Structure formats: structure tokens, C-alpha cells
């Protein structure tokens, strides 16, 4: 009934105010307009930092609809992609931009979908893993392998900034920045985790 009311009014189904019990049933309907929406406004170079009248109109529409909105310039993105790594920061600075549009788009997508990323780092590789915001450590470990979740003991946790600023795991441990977290720990965006589990 809530979906029909909105749809008959020409409004998206994602605007329905639902109780916790209704959310599961509502999701099972798989309504297209209940899906999250992210509007991406392609603007000219001069409008990349502040947007323009058209992008502001889309932003207003997105706010009313409960959708996301990002302003980027495809021309700038194409030029940025062709630059050498050492030239990129200066290029963005000259345009008054803090970050490339692709980064803004990814961050907006993650926020819209309520996702966070955590990292695992070993001697051979570093990996990024994506989980829903609010996921606890055992379930986050299960994303890597189901055995990690069922045998979960604890997670050795280092915040991303500490890991980078202190020179990795050893530096973070020496500075007392590694924490031992249990089954109730909610994984945060950017955590560097090492899972301990029983076979």
C-alpha cells in the first residue's frame, strides 16, 4: 500500500517511511524506484568546483527524492587520466578541486549504498574488502572465507591513518596503536585487520 501510494503520486518507492519489520518485505518487492539513485552531473570545466544552475537543480531534485548527487567534468577526468602521477595534484589545484571526480563518484556510491572498506595486509599483498556499515568483525571475516567467521577468535585492528603514518604494522604495534577486538566490534572504514580464528 505504501508503494502504491507513492507510485500513483509519481514519486519513487524509496521515499516510503517503513518500520524495521516492513523493510524486509518491502525489499522483497524489488521495486526499481526503491533502489538507491545517484545523479551524476557532467558540467563544463569552469563549473567543476562549484557546479552550475543545472547541477543545482538536479541537487535539489536529488534531495527531495532521497538520492545522491555528484558534480564532475568528464573533460577534466579525461585530461586527469592522461597525466603522469606527479602532475595530477598540481592539475587539480589549478582547477580549484580537492580530488578527482572519479574519487567523488566512488565515495558518493559507497555512502549511498552504506558501505565501508577494510584492508588485510600480508607480506605478499594488500587487499581491500567491502562490507555494509555496521557489520561486526566475525561477519567481516566471513567475507574473506566462511571458516574465518565460524572460527573467529579476535581481530587485530589498526586504523588506516595509524598504519600509514607509523610505517605499517610493526610501527603501529610499537606505538601502541594496534587493538585487539572481539566478536562485538563493528568494523570501521579504513581498518587494517588481521583475523585470528580456530580451525
Amino acid at each position: 500500500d505504501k508503494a502504491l501510494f507513492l507510485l500513483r503520486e509519481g514519486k519513487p518507492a524509496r521515499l516510503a517511511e517503513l518500520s524495521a519489520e516492513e523493510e524486509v518485505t518491502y525489499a522483497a518487492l524489488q521495486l526499481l524506484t526503491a533502489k538507491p539513485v545517484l545523479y551524476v552531473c557532467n558540467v563544463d570545466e569552469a563549473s567543476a568546483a562549484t557546479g552550475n544552475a543545472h547541477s543545482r537543480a538536479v541537487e535539489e531534485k536529488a534531495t527531495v527524492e532521497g538520492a545522491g548527487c555528484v558534480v564532475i567534468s568528464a573533460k577534466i577526468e579525461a585530461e586527469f587520466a592522461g597525466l603522469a602521477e606527479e602532475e595530477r595534484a598540481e592539475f587539480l589545484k589549478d582547477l580549484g578541486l580537492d580530488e578527482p571526480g572519479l574519487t567523488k563518484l566512488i565515495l558518493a556510491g559507497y555512502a549511498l549504498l552504506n558501505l565501508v572498506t577494510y584492508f588485510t595486509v600480508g607480506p605478499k599483498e594488500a587487499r581491500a574488502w567491502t562490507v555494509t556499515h555496521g557489520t561486526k568483525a566475525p561477519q567481516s571475516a566471513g567475507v574473506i572465507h566462511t571458516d574465518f567467521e565460524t572460527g573467529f577468535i579476535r581481530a587485530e585492528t589498526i586504523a588506516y591513518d595509524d598504519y600509514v603514518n607509523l610505517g605499517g604494522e610493526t610501527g603501529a604495534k610499537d606505538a601502541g596503536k594496534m587493538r585487539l577486538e572481539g566478536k562485538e566490534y563493528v568494523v570501521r572504514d579504513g581498518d587494517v585487520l588481521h583475523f585470528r580464528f580456530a580451525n
Side-chain angles (χ1 to χ4, degrees):
D1 289 344
K2 290 183 177 183
L4 283 172
F5 175 78
L6 287 166
L7 296 174
R8 286 178 178 147
E9 295 288 317
K11 297 177 181 174
R14 68 182 159 277
L15 294 180
E17 293 181 18
L18 305 171
S19 67
E21 299 83 35
E22 291 173 323
E23 285 180 10
V24 174
T25 307
Y26 205 71
L29 295 173
Q30 298 186 12
L31 300 171
L32 186 60
T33 63
K35 305 288 184 201
V37 170
L38 176 62
Y39 291 102
V40 181
C41 302
N42 181 23
V43 298
D44 61 277
E45 290 181 73
S47 304
T50 59
N52 59 28
H54 299 296
S55 66
R56 282 188 281 283
V58 173
E59 287 171 348
E60 288 174 19
K61 178 179 175 57
T63 301
V64 169
E65 291 182 3
C69 186
V70 175
V71 176
I72 64 171
S73 168
K75 187 168 190 292
I76 289 173
E77 291 303 301
E79 290 176 29
F80 180 81
L83 293 174
E85 191 68 38
E86 59 274 6
E87 298 174 320
R88 290 180 169 187
E90 190 64 32
F91 177 74
L92 291 175
K93 184 180 174 186
D94 289 346
L95 293 168
L97 299 172
D98 296 330
E99 59 192 357
L102 181 58
T103 301
K104 287 170 44 177
L105 181 59
I106 292 168
L107 292 173
Y110 262 61
L112 186 70
L113 297 173
N114 202 25
L115 301 174
V116 297
T117 299
Y118 73 87
F119 301 94
T120 55
V121 180
K124 292 183 181 178
E125 69 175 358
R127 293 274 316 258
W129 305 89
T130 303
V131 294
T132 304
H133 178 76
T135 303
K136 293 183 179 179
Q139 291 72 40
S140 296
V143 170
I144 300 171
H145 197 287
T146 54
D147 289 349
F148 288 17
E149 181 177 355
T150 55
F152 180 87
I153 298 171
R154 69 174 179 267
E156 296 173 356
T157 308
I158 303 169
Y160 177 82
D161 288 339
D162 291 334
Y163 189 90
V164 171
N165 295 333
L166 297 169
E169 184 178 340
T170 303
K173 280 183 181 178
D174 292 345
K177 295 293 186 178
M178 188 186 82
R179 307 178 316 275
L180 299 179
E181 301 288 358
K183 292 182 178 182
E184 294 303 310
Y185 178 69
V186 175
V187 171
R188 298 177 192 155
D189 193 45
D191 277 349
V192 179
L193 302 173
H194 181 81
F195 295 108
R196 297 290 182 185
F197 66 100
N199 291 328

